[in-house]
Amino acid sequence: MEELKKTAKEALEALKKEGADRAKCDVGESVTHEFNVDGGNFSLFRTLFDRHLILTAIKDGKKGTVRQNRYDAETVKEAAKSCLETAASAQADEAWDIAPLTENRDFEDGVPTPDLDRLFFRCKELMEDIGKRFPKVLMEQMIVSHTEEKSVHANTNGVLFSRRQGEYRVSLMFSAHEGEKTSSFFGSDFVTDSLEKPFLSCGSVKKDLSDAEKQIETVGVNGKFEGVMILTPSCLTEFLYYTLENFAGEGALLSGTSPWKGKIGEKVASEELTLSVNPFDPRIVGGERVTSDGFPAENYDLIRDGVLLNFMASLYGEKKLGVKRAPNSSGNFVLRPGDKSLEELIASVEKGILVGRFSGGEPSSNGDFSGVAKNSFLIEKGKLAGALSETMISGNLADMLKRISGISDTPVVNGDTALPYVAFEGITVSGK
Amino acid sequence: MTDCLLTEKKALFSDGANTELRLQRNRNRRVSFLNGNPVGNVRTETKGVSARVYADGVYGFASMAEDSCEAVESVLRAASENAAFLSRHAGRGKGMLPPLAPGKLDTALALNDVEQRRYIEYAKEVDEYIKKTYPDLLSRSVVLSADSIEKQIVVSNGTDSCSSLPRSYVYLFLTGETKDGRPVELFDVVGGFGTFDVNFKSPADCFPTVDKLYRRLREKCEGVYPEAGEKTVILGGILSGMLAHEAVGHTVEADLVLAGSVAAHSLGKRVASEKITMVDFAHTALGERVPLPIYSDDEGTPATDAMLIQEGILTGYMNSRETAEHFGMTPTGNARAFLFSDEPLIRMRNTAILPGSDKLEEMIASVEDGYYFLDTNNGQADTTGEFMFGVTGGYEIKKGKLGRAILDTTISGVAFEMLKTVDMVSDRMVWASSGMCGKKQPMPVGMGGPALRCRVTVGGR
């Protein structure tokens, strides 16, 4: 780590020597070990030794950034020169800035050193468990990795953070088959710092595999209806990204297309909704410790009791738009659970749909969305009434948040997020 | 990059295993303006070496962000150790892959690394033109992106190669407002194969595209939501190319066939109307260079065209050397890796539906009540062939004539069912190459097609 700190300091000196008024440097190295299963068979074991060097310089209000995957002395020198050349040709904008010095810290968390034999054992055990308990499931691809990363962030205001961190990531893609009949492909992912538990009991793996087997036989929707949509936690993550990018993201604010512009302190969602971004939540693995701007990361509430409290703005957004900078730049969403079990949530729906995956176009900036409901079930009179095929859903993201009809009481924790099932009213469901 | 470094290291390849050694550099230069604000100004470069070893039916791989002799030796050693680890725990008792004839191919171009200043000046001038000419826009964005992949590959047997794949594009995003104040977007892209200095001589070259985009955006601001349900539509070439890539192409990648795609049960069967022929082109199509030409892949297989659907019959898959052996097919050079630290995967190159003999005007005139869909911002498909495309631009067709513009919608269907409904195919095709295909790794790909008359489910609202 001392070598990385030394490199960062030398890079900042080189940037200043080239004429930077302010500058920052991210430098680091990582080792990744990864096992792959393809088409049900172990296929690949790979080891990646990687490095990164990201230099940003601001001179006369002009900013330039250079990224390299090496940090030897010669590369640092050349990158600093290139960075200033890039900045010199840019357009000035006084909103560019770097973080002030607050409190420098060294972080170490997770599991920096992998236990590869144990990791492979857990992979093999998962494949065997699936073969025994979910015999119709074919593992299209399984990617299981451990990454150890050492990184340093420093800037010319004296900011200097370091971090050593390691985590295991598991990503599964699978489908279920019976003769020539097949389910849609489905995915399940989680991140963990422990190999104590079998992978089958992590995240939502067991339920996702079980659902895939139930999705071989499908029914269609006749015509269209307006009903309730319950999103699984993994599908909710996708909808949250769409919503926040279009309404609370810096791009939407800068372009002026966000319908939430100027609505801090106003109600934008049902009172049941409290959405936080919490990298320090103990259930989150490898959460952000330093923001992309170089501030110490902190948890924050984006929406509390339906009221918008923050945008997802950077330091640039703060200076450019006069909005408050977000206290972290992660996607570690934590949503306050409700008071119903998933079964009670389903039982409360007269007609609707439980959506496991959304295959849709990028929603419009006004929040209109439409797409295919994949890995989804029809709900009729409070009961699941079969897996669906060729079924489309459409609605508006802003309207949806104001029409939450229920939130489940137990969040699914996958190491990146802790989210429950959420039910939304007023969704159009249409078949062929 | 010089080639002496890798060729000398062939002596270190293990007997009884297939080894690939690759030195690679990826560059990206990107400049973004949003409403005149310079929100992006980045130069990125990654470079390194990797080795992959195939033994006993499993692969070991290692990469390092260096290009020294020591790094080459380290990755060869680590890849062999990884293959041995996996062989011990999950070996499949297989021998070497069927050998390929030795060869050497150098198609690398001398790429000019354009100064960042030129990207910025160009983007600024295009942005200022938009601001000055169309002040009523809600927002505007101009993004310039130039990327390149340079590879040097040596293999145990097959073709050793040096190659380069440069692309450069200007992306234009315009946003207007409907009468009730809702934002409406439309985007277009200019550019293709080649470095920025070759493709873009003057900012004024982009102005006609800006003007056309603005006109269509105004129409879209007055537009209507399409009616939901199954409709007769004309899919423009951009959408039929997307269909070829997303809904059919992925299902006939042999690794996804082994993973249970719908094409596993369809080889030799009718999957489309007899008007549909679909090919994954390597470097030349219909006598011209394709958008992103590939001459040899990362496993040392010389690149040739892969015939996928011939007059409606599914005739082949896209393969790696390993899957080609499994299916008893001939590999056509589809194994490609994105970064030096990525292993080769089966990827499409330039996938297209071939043009037919119908005139677009006659196709539109033949539709009583339907839509002409032109633009898309997104496409996804399942291994079952069920697809969904976001449609961002198009027109109603009423009694054989184009009507009002449409607002954003989604179309969906099942590829091998929908393709059987194609009854007219236009005589002109359109290529696109500005996007990235995602499949564990990103990858630049080309896709193309003519206009198709067919039945699809429209999402509506």
Side-chain angles (χ1 to χ4, degrees), chain A residues 314-327:
Chain A
S314 68
L315 179 61
Y316 174 78
E318 180 172 279
K319 301 228 166 189
K320 188 82 186 169
L321 300 162
V323 299
K324 199 171 67 174
R325 173 185 68 78

Side-chain angles (χ1 to χ4, degrees), chain B residues 222-290:
Chain B
E222 305 290 321
V224 291
Y225 283 106
E227 201 178 301
E230 194 176 319
K231 303 283 177 192
T232 297
V233 306
I234 311 282
L235 297 184
I238 295 292
L239 275 154
S240 68
M242 179 78 92
L243 183 80
H245 175 92
E246 288 291 347
V248 182
H250 281 302
T251 68
V252 293
E253 290 170 331
D255 51 347
L256 295 187
V257 174
L258 286 169
S261 89
V262 64
H265 309 292
S266 308
L267 200 62
K269 294 182 184 170
R270 177 161 296 284
V271 295
S273 87
E274 73 283 354
K275 289 180 179 287
I276 297 292
T277 292
M278 191 177 125
V279 180
D280 180 54
F281 289 104
H283 46 77
T284 309
L286 310 173
E288 292 183 13
R289 189 189 69 201
V290 293

